[in-house]
């Protein structure tokens, strides 16, 4: 390997090592997602369930999907 390339490679490697050491010693500050992520997720799931539960219980939905035996033809009028 050429001496210039070897020197450039060692400089890049040393820079990466300094960056990782600096980040490892820094204190981790909790972000919004660290603080409230689970609560937001649970709140959204509860809201979703409540809204769809309300919709399904107030609509007049017949849960039998087959109309066989339920629909009788009406008499034809002329």
């Amino acid at each position: 390997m050429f001496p210039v390339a070897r020197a450039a490679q060692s400089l890049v490697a040393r820079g990466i090592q300094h960056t990782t050491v600096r980040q490892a010693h820094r204190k981790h500050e909790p972000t919004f997602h660290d603080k409230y992520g689970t609560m937001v997720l649970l709140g959204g799931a509860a809201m979703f369930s409540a809204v769809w539960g309300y919709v399904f219980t107030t609509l007049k939905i017949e849960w039998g999907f087959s109309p066989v035996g339920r629909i009788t033809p009406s008499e034809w009028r002329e």
Side-chain angles (χ1 to χ4, degrees):
M1 189 181 279
F2 296 112
V4 174
R6 190 176 312 138
Q9 184 182 13
S10 68
L11 281 175
V12 169
R14 192 175 307 132
I16 292 172
Q17 287 173 349
H18 284 302
T19 302
T20 55
V21 167
R22 192 174 343 131
Q23 288 177 353
H25 289 295
R26 194 175 73 193
K27 282 194 169 186
H28 175 70
E29 299 172 1
T31 62
F32 176 83
H33 297 287
D34 293 333
K35 290 181 183 178
Y36 308 111
T38 306
M39 293 307 294
V40 170
L41 180 67
L42 292 176
M47 191 69 179
F48 177 86
S49 301
V51 168
W52 280 109
Y54 175 78
V55 168
F56 284 143
T57 55
T58 57
L59 289 178
K60 302 294 182 194
I61 297 176
E62 301 227 1
W63 291 105
F65 294 111
S66 175
V68 175
R70 284 194 217 148
I71 300 175
T72 56
S74 59
E75 293 296 322
W76 183 260
R77 286 180 266 165
E78 293 201 34

